[in-house]
């Protein structure tokens, strides 16, 4: 054992160079075959584009503890009470990955750059996706074999109020949702508090449209959540203010009508009735004034609860495809083929060395 460990590798570089020079035709054949197969494989692969949009959401941290909680989160600690809301920016990626959110993405209207396709995102994914023609026969064969083992896809009919039921999806719709999860990715940076939405698609215009629409839908979702209670309170006090105004106007008209009808009458009964009507009108006015004040306060609270999103990077139509990197793929395959050929030629020496 000790003798084997002390054996030094005796590498004859001159012999290696002569062997490689002698077998250069083999390398040429391997390179030609590898180049052709790599091109045959990579060229039919559909190209895809990416569009990116980044926003800086308003911090929902409570006073005083927000900065400390944010700093502690960088080290994996949770101090508790760092956020006034249940959905804070760190959870935005989870919100976008939820089935409910992705189902709503299906309704986004898109249009391809050439103008040939103009439909919703669901129909676009279902009927207008380019595929690798080489893989198409294998895909059909796989689906044909799978059809013998899959059970019937039963989805109960809905009430017609929604296009998709997030609680009960068909297999096809579920597969499309997984595809959307791969195409639309949301990330959050703890260091900069920036939320970035990256959209990948085969058409550059679809990328930009989706990125901008998804950003708007995310903002709308968070705004609806943050202002839900404030909106309910505002609508409640608004309704009360309208009812109080109607009651006040009714009492005012009754007072005015009674006063006109008994003008010049100075009996005690008339004066008492006038006083009662005046008091009723004043009371209704005070209620109306109080409800108006509460309505204005609820409106101010609604405005205060509405989050602010600062758009740092707007969605733009990409000009260059993000992939597949055809030249890099072919170069990588040629490199691997070269390494494999060298290992094949010196397999005996490698066994002795290792």
């Amino acid at each position: 054992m000790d003798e084997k460990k002390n054996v030094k590798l005796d590498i004859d570089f001159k012999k290696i160079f002569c062997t490689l020079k002698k077998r250069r035709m083999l390398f040429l054949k391997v390179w030609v075959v590898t180049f052709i197969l790599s091109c045959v494989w990579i060229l039919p692969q559909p190209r895809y584009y990416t569009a990116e949009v980044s926003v800086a959401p308003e911090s929902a941290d409570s006073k005083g503890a927000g900065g400390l909680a944010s700093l502690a989160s960088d080290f994996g600690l949770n101090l508790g009470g760092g956020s006034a809301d249940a959905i804070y920016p760190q959870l935005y990626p989870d919100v976008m990955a939820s089935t409910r959110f992705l189902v709503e993405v299906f309704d986004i209207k898109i249009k391809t750059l050439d103008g040939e396709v103009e439909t919703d995102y669901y129909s676009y994914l279902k009927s207008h996706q380019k595929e690798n023609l080489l893989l198409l026969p294998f895909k059909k064969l796989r689906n044909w074999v799978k059809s013998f083992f899959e059970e019937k896809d039963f989805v109960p009919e809905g009430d017609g109020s929604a296009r998709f039921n997030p609680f009960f999806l068909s297999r096809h719709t579920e597969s499309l949702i997984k595809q959307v999860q791969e195409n639309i990715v949301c990330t959050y940076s703890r260091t900069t508090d920036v939320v970035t939405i990256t959209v990948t698609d085969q058409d550059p215009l679809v990328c930009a449209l989706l990125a901008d629409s998804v950003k708007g839908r995310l903002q709308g979702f968070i705004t609806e959540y943050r202002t839900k209670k404030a909106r309910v309170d505002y609508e409640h006090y608004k309704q009360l203010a309208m009812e109080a105004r109607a009651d006040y106007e009714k009492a005012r008209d009754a007072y005015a009508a009674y006063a006109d009808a008994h003008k010049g009458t100075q009996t005690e009964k008339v004066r008492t009735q006038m006083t009662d009507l005046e008091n009723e009108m004043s009371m209704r006015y005070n209620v109306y004034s109080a409800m108006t004040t509460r309505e204005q306060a609820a409106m101010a609270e609604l405005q205060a609860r509405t989050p602010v999103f600062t758009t740092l990077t707007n969605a733009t139509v990409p000009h260059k495809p993000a992939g597949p990197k055809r030249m890099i793929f072919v170069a990588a395959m040629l490199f691997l083929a070269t390494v494999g050929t060298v290992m094949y030629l010196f397999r005996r020496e490698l066994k002795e060395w290792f």
Side-chain angles (χ1 to χ4, degrees):
M1 295 290 294
D2 296 336
E3 293 180 359
K4 289 184 178 180
K5 291 181 179 179
N6 294 329
V7 173
K8 295 182 179 180
L9 296 178
D10 188 11
I11 301 177
D12 189 352
F13 290 99
K14 184 176 181 180
K15 180 181 177 181
I16 293 175
F17 179 76
C18 293
T19 303
L20 294 177
K21 185 176 181 182
K22 187 183 300 183
R23 303 300 299 270
R24 60 182 180 272
M25 291 304 298
L26 175 62
F27 282 96
L28 183 60
K29 293 178 182 178
V30 170
W31 288 339
V32 171
V33 173
T34 303
F35 179 80
I36 294 175
L37 293 179
S38 300
C39 291
V40 169
W41 172 259
I42 197 64
L43 290 179
Q45 291 284 354
R47 290 201 162 185
Y48 58 87
Y49 300 80
T50 59
E52 191 174 272
V53 58
S54 58
V55 295
E58 179 188 34
S59 176
D61 291 347
S62 57
K63 297 180 180 178
L68 182 60
S70 179
L71 179 62
S73 66
D74 294 337
F75 297 93
L77 302 177
N78 184 8
L79 298 182
S83 175
D85 294 320
I87 302 181
Y88 41 91
Q90 289 89 332
L91 294 182
Y92 288 3
D94 297 320
V95 170
M96 286 190 55
S98 64
T99 303
R100 175 191 171 189
F101 187 90
L102 295 177
V103 164
E104 295 178 355
V105 171
F106 282 146
D107 295 328
I108 295 178
K109 300 298 182 180
I110 57 93
K111 181 180 180 181
T112 57
L113 189 62
D114 55 14
E116 294 183 0
V117 179
E118 187 172 358
T119 181
D120 57 84
Y121 191 48
Y122 175 82
S123 302
Y124 173 74
L125 289 178
K126 184 179 179 181
S127 307
H128 301 283
Q129 290 293 288
K130 300 176 183 178
E131 297 184 4
N132 190 339
L133 298 179
L134 296 177
L135 298 178
L136 197 57
F138 299 98
K139 183 178 180 181
K140 290 184 178 180
L141 179 61
R142 184 192 63 181
N143 294 336
W144 179 72
V145 174
K146 190 186 296 184
S147 63
F148 290 98
F149 301 96
E150 286 186 347
E151 297 180 358
K152 184 179 179 181
D153 190 10
F154 173 73
V155 177
E157 295 183 359
D159 56 0
S161 59
R163 185 175 183 182
F164 304 101
N165 182 7
F167 184 73
F168 207 144
L169 297 172
S170 65
R171 289 193 182 95
H172 179 68
T173 305
E174 188 175 358
S175 64
L176 290 181
I177 286 181
K178 292 180 180 179
Q179 184 177 349
V180 174
Q181 289 176 336
E182 296 176 357
N183 294 345
I184 304 175
V185 179
C186 178
T187 56
Y188 170 76
S189 174
R190 291 187 176 183
T191 57
T192 59
D193 287 333
V194 173
V195 177
T196 304
I197 301 173
T198 305
V199 178
T200 303
D201 196 82
Q202 297 177 359
D203 188 86
L205 182 58
V206 173
C207 279
L209 292 175
L210 278 178
D212 189 65
S213 299
V214 170
K215 181 199 72 172
R217 287 177 179 264
L218 178 62
Q219 293 177 355
F221 181 88
I222 301 303
T223 301
E224 181 181 0
Y225 162 75
R226 292 276 302 274
T227 61
K228 183 176 181 180
K229 184 179 183 304
R231 281 187 290 105
V232 172
D233 292 344
Y234 171 70
E235 294 296 333
H236 174 67
Y237 289 118
K238 182 179 179 180
Q239 181 65 27
L240 291 180
M242 292 176 61
E243 294 176 357
R245 179 184 177 88
D247 293 340
Y248 163 68
E249 291 178 349
K250 183 178 179 181
R252 183 192 60 188
D253 293 341
Y255 173 78
Y258 189 84
D260 291 340
H262 297 82
K263 184 179 296 185
T265 305
Q266 298 296 328
T267 62
E268 190 66 26
K269 182 178 180 180
V270 172
R271 287 197 298 267
T272 302
Q273 189 66 23
M274 286 280 293
T275 302
D276 292 341
L277 291 175
E278 186 177 2
N279 292 337
E280 178 71 14
M281 181 182 64
S282 300
M283 183 183 65
R284 295 296 182 183
Y285 176 78
N286 292 335
V287 173
Y288 168 60
S289 179
M291 290 300 101
T292 301
T293 303
R294 297 297 296 270
E295 179 189 1
Q296 293 175 352
M299 182 184 297
E301 178 66 17
L302 176 61
Q303 182 66 28
R305 294 289 297 171
T306 302
V308 177
F309 295 86
T310 303
T311 302
L312 303 178
T313 305
N314 291 311
T316 56
V317 179
H319 296 286
K320 296 182 179 180
K325 304 294 185 180
R326 295 174 177 175
M327 295 182 64
I328 296 178
F329 176 81
V330 173
M333 291 299 102
L334 290 174
F335 174 77
L336 293 177
T338 303
V339 173
T341 305
V342 171
M343 294 179 65
Y344 171 76
L345 293 177
F346 297 97
R347 59 189 181 280
R348 294 180 182 179
E349 288 80 357
L350 290 173
K351 288 181 181 179
E352 294 177 359
W353 295 341
F354 300 102

